[in-house]
Amino acid sequence: MEILVCVKRVPDTAENEIEVNRDGSDIERDDLVYSVNEWDNYAVEEAIQIVDKVGGAVTVVSLGDEDSEEIVRREMAMGANNGILVSDDAFEGSDGKGVAAILKTVAEKGSYDLILTGAQADDGAGQIGGMLAAMLDLPYASVVNSIEVVSDSQLKVGREIEGGNQELNEIGLPCVLSIQTGINEPRYVGIRGIRKVASVDIPIWGAADLGLDASNVGQSAAGVKRVDYFVPEFGEGAEILEGSDEEIAEKLIDLLKAKGGIK
Amino acid sequence: MAAQVFAYIVHKNGVADDTALELVSAARNIFPDTSPTAIVTGSGTDLDGVCNDLAASFGEVWKFDHEALAYPNAEAIRKLLMAVLPADAVVLFPHDTFGMDLAPGLSIKLNSVFVSDAAGFEGLDGNNLKVIRQEYSGQVSTHLMADISAGAVINVRPGIFQPDESRSAGGQVVDKSSKIGDLSVGRRFLEVVEAEAGDVDITKEDILVSVGRGIEDQDNIEIAEELAEAVGGVVSCSRPIVDAKWLEKPRQVGTSGQTVKPKVYMALGISGSFQHMGGIKGNPYIIAVNKNLKAPIFQIADVGVVEDLLDFVPVLTEKIQEGK
Ligand SMILES: Cc1cc2nc3c(=O)[nH]c(=O)nc-3n(C[C@H](O)[C@H](O)[C@H](O)COP(=O)(O)OP(=O)(O)OC[C@H]3O[C@@H](n4cnc5c(N)ncnc54)[C@H](O)[C@@H]3O)c2cc1C
Ligand SMILES: Nc1ncnc2c1ncn2[C@@H]1O[C@H](COP(=O)(O)O)[C@@H](O)[C@H]1O
């Protein structure tokens, strides 16, 4: 099975405090730790496991600036066979549709039986998979937490729905799936793995390579534009307890007693 | 501009989801005078009950009754919507696993903009709708401008827009079933497998000591277990803890886990994503321990401790034990 997995380089929210920059035009990007989007890592692991079982190859593609090469390489160290970096100044400012339109041309340059995305990325949109499927006229299933290859032309997939229930579906190939965390246990990538792929060539494709009219993607074509970042002013928020750990603990115990938090 | 606004109604066992009326409020946040049209798909008698209940709140209720719609297969419903919606429709879905499944693709097919997980609207400037969203698991917010001149598909975050029951729309149910065309799609629904029950039922507990990714290591779960024992509560968790297999799935609080209604909820190293908070009902007293003051949990919690939980929680546990 030929599998394409879309992966995005994102600031790691577990490692960073994300702050708005001074004029609200972006987040503060100095000193951010980046990694592969959590959901995408599960998608790559799943693709590798499928290929281990039924044969084929895994290709990862990332759309971003040159720095995205590092996550393509990382996923190749995990076991993906091929990597592609899609990068062009003309792509900057693309909205979800723009990103999906670019990834569509990547998908069409190959011949993939299965295309995987993460369920969502750093901006929490969860949109690219469904858009890509619709653009390619392929069946789609989101928040997938199990995949069973039934035949060359069919999968049985579980979707994790509300309450942790699982919705089982049969879906024809080729198709697009967005992957939910927890579907597998992504393998650890050590220094040795990274070293092994340190010198593989990762092609960089721009608008011309993909036959894309630059005016159809990027900022100018975007129907949805980000205006600014800001820190919302909520109501009061939590009362923050101050003092030494011991003092805070004492105050908290009084509150717990008052609220029925200690039996 | 006077686009027609539609709201897709999620329903189960003959009852509309809470998001149904939330979408009416969301619609009025965009167009103050609108009376949106409800779209209800399904099969059989349950459907009539849902439709009749909604008529009071919507300008019209469009009913689509068909065997093939008995289970909401997003692929089939997308096909249906493509056939019946007017060109510049503004269509609202709840941002749940159904909305995530259907809406992005629908926006492509309708050739209209898509806005995901909208948490607020700040008015229309011509054809530009100003939307509030959150990014980076709620650590920062953004304003978007969406050009809705060719219509829009908008997923609305559940739980944000309060239903306004004071305004009755007095709508009527219109059976549009005859408009249903071919519903065959490449994905076939088989069955729903219910989540397994665990050794404890966190939905019945009054005191929950809940751990998130901030617990950092499986071995540290003990810290939470000791606190839970000291206060007479039970340990629950956020999703990454279950993904890492540190705790069992039935301990997970959130939209894709359990819905809990404790008296006191202690969130230790949990950022407060909406999918996590969506599983906490009944307005409990929330205590957050998190080393990042910017974590959204501090906006929701009643009381906060900005500390490393690995240092603070053992101190708290010890003090409670001393007092007993
Ligand atoms: C369809 C869908 C359904 C989902 N359903 C659920 C669900 O049911 N339940 C759920 O929980 N999530 C769910 N999620 C995931 C959700 O979006 C978040 O990713 C998740 O809730 C984050 O968990 P967290 O708060 O533990 O981790 P993070 O967001 O990584 O937060 C960890 C927090 O710990 C703090 N921290 C780190 N170290 C320490 C320390 N030593 N001391 C104190 N604080 C520390 C950090 O500052 C941070 O705020 C779902 C996602 C999707 C797409
Ligand atoms: N720039 C990108 N490059 C590659 N894949 C992407 C990119 N942006 C989004 N995706 C894919 O789409 C998924 C959902 O992202 P989003 O719709 O932005 O929340 C991600 O998990 C990725 O698989």
Side-chain angles (χ1 to χ4, degrees):
Chain A
M1 190 162 332
E2 291 296 316
I3 308 179
L4 179 67
V5 190
C6 304
V7 299
K8 186 178 181 190
R9 178 175 178 267
V10 300
D12 188 336
T13 49
E15 299 282 337
N16 299 289
E17 295 180 17
I18 309 287
E19 294 189 54
V20 178
N21 73 1
R22 194 169 305 159
D23 63 359
S25 59
D26 196 1
I27 57 170
E28 197 56 74
R29 299 227 176 231
D30 295 344
D31 307 322
L32 280 186
V33 178
Y34 285 82
S35 60
V36 61
N37 177 38
E38 186 180 359
W39 280 265
D40 303 351
N41 207 39
Y42 285 90
V44 173
E45 176 64 39
E46 194 63 19
I48 294 170
Q49 290 189 15
I50 292 172
V51 163
D52 282 348
K53 261 184 229 137
V54 303
V58 179
T59 302
V60 292
V61 58
S62 187
L63 164 63
D65 58 20
E66 305 93 67
D67 292 335
S68 294
E69 195 202 278
E70 84 194 17
I71 62 142
V72 173
R73 210 172 284 284
R74 187 199 177 278
E75 301 306 284
M76 291 181 74
M78 244 175 118
N81 307 83
N82 313 301
I84 303 164
L85 174 61
V86 176
S87 194
D88 195 317
D89 290 346
F91 297 158
E92 234 163 86
S94 294
D95 62 3
K97 278 191 176 180
V99 171
I102 296 162
L103 292 173
K104 170 184 184 251
T105 61
V106 175
E108 284 172 338
K109 262 182 94 112
S111 163
Y112 299 102
D113 305 294
L114 179 60
I115 300 173
L116 303 181
T117 71
Q120 65 178 31
D122 51 340
D123 52 7
Q127 61 189 358
I128 301 300
M131 289 180 168
L132 188 57
M135 287 177 177
L136 291 165
D137 262 321
L138 295 177
Y140 176 62
S142 65
V143 285
V144 167
N145 70 349
S146 73
I147 301 178
E148 185 192 322
V149 180
V150 178
S151 72
D152 284 352
S153 60
Q154 202 158 53
L155 303 178
K156 187 170 167 184
V157 300
R159 297 183 60 237
E160 192 185 46
I161 54 171
E162 275 64 28
N165 297 338
Q166 192 188 36
E167 176 196 301
L168 293 178
N169 295 270
E170 257 170 15
I171 190 164
L173 291 170
C175 68
V176 181
L177 306 176
S178 88
I179 301 299
Q180 176 61 302
T181 56
I183 185 174
N184 52 42
E185 291 178 72
R187 68 199 64 189
Y188 175 74
V189 180
I191 295 286
R192 271 187 54 210
I194 300 273
R195 248 187 240 135
K196 257 176 51 197
V197 296
S199 58
V200 286
D201 208 28
I202 294 174
I204 305 177
W205 293 350
D209 306 295
L210 293 167
L212 267 168
D213 180 349
S215 67
N216 288 331
V217 293
Q219 174 83 15
S220 59
V224 180
K225 293 188 172 73
R226 189 184 288 111
V227 183
D228 63 4
Y229 285 91
F230 67 101
V231 179
E233 294 196 26
F234 282 99
E236 286 171 36
E239 177 201 345
I240 304 294
L241 301 180
E242 314 269 357
S244 67
D245 281 3
E246 283 74 15
E247 287 162 357
I248 295 175
E250 303 273 351
K251 289 182 201 166
L252 206 49
I253 289 170
D254 289 342
L255 289 167
L256 279 168
K257 283 183 180 151
K259 302 290 173 185
I262 295 185
K263 272 191 204 156
Chain B
M1 91 172 250
Q4 202 174 349
V5 186
F6 295 85
Y8 183 87
I9 307 301
V10 171
H11 60 92
K12 207 176 165 184
N13 303 330
V15 183
D17 191 64
D18 288 349
T19 53
L21 297 186
E22 293 175 20
L23 292 183
V24 178
S25 298
R28 293 208 177 111
N29 259 271
I30 306 174
F31 304 104
D33 299 321
T34 192
S35 250
T37 301
I39 295 185
V40 192
T41 69
S43 166
T45 45
D46 271 4
L47 195 57
D48 288 316
V50 177
C51 291
N52 293 335
D53 287 349
L54 291 170
S57 310
F58 286 85
E60 257 185 24
V61 179
W62 286 8
K63 178 175 102 169
F64 296 94
D65 188 349
H66 192 285
E67 254 182 9
L69 298 170
Y71 186 86
N73 177 335
E75 298 276 284
I77 294 168
R78 186 178 84 199
K79 232 173 156 179
L80 166 70
L81 295 178
M82 281 159 58
V84 301
L85 290 173
D88 64 349
V90 172
V91 199
L92 309 183
F93 293 89
H95 188 60
D96 57 13
T97 60
F98 176 78
M100 291 175 86
D101 213 28
L102 191 149
L106 179 67
S107 78
I108 299 299
K109 296 296 183 187
L110 294 179
N111 208 8
S112 55
V113 288
F114 177 62
V115 176
S116 176
D117 190 22
F121 300 104
E122 288 191 351
L124 268 171
D125 178 6
N127 286 321
N128 282 317
L129 175 65
K130 198 169 184 185
V131 187
I132 297 176
R133 295 191 72 248
Q134 294 186 337
E135 297 192 8
Y136 304 103
S137 7
Q139 288 193 63
V140 296
S141 295
T142 64
H143 288 111
L144 301 183
M145 279 293 193
D147 178 353
I148 65 168
S149 51
V153 177
I154 302 175
N155 277 9
V156 177
R157 177 174 290 194
I160 297 270
F161 294 93
Q162 297 312 309
D164 174 6
E165 317 233 14
S166 68
R167 276 167 75 174
S168 169
Q172 53 176 344
V173 179
V174 184
D175 192 339
K176 293 257 179 184
S177 304
S178 65
K179 301 270 188 239
I180 301 172
D182 173 30
L183 291 178
S184 58
V185 285
R187 176 177 132 197
R188 194 166 69 86
F189 167 72
L190 298 172
E191 60 172 323
V192 170
V193 183
E194 302 274 330
E196 277 170 40
D199 52 343
V200 286
D201 184 355
I202 60 170
T203 67
K204 297 212 164 66
E205 294 290 330
D206 282 342
I207 305 172
L208 289 174
V209 177
S210 212
V211 292
R213 186 143 40 202
I215 196 81
E216 292 180 8
D217 195 284
Q218 181 163 24
D219 294 340
N220 297 334
I221 302 270
E222 229 175 53
I223 295 175
E225 279 164 354
E226 281 161 8
L227 174 58
E229 194 180 326
V231 297
V234 153
V235 173
S236 58
C237 65
S238 67
R239 179 171 185 115
I241 303 302
V242 173
D243 289 340
K245 307 219 157 35
W246 295 350
L247 287 171
E248 300 277 312
K249 181 83 179 170
R251 301 250 183 183
Q252 180 190 319
V253 174
T255 56
S256 62
Q258 303 294 323
T259 300
V260 298
K261 30 189 185 326
K263 288 202 182 85
V264 173
Y265 190 81
M266 282 186 246
L268 312 179
I270 291 176
S271 63
S273 71
F274 88 93
Q275 286 115 343
H276 184 76
M277 302 317 291
I280 304 173
K281 300 288 180 207
N283 199 20
Y285 190 72
I286 300 179
I287 298 164
V289 182
N290 195 304
K291 65 181 182 187
N292 177 6
L293 180 61
K294 297 264 166 55
I297 188 77
F298 286 125
Q299 305 295 344
I300 313 159
D302 295 282
V303 48
V305 178
V306 187
E307 291 285 342
D308 189 322
L309 78 91
L310 302 177
D311 298 332
F312 175 73
V313 174
V315 174
L316 175 63
T317 306
E318 206 183 305
K319 286 247 177 254
I320 294 171
Q321 285 162 344
E322 276 169 20
K324 283 201 165 172

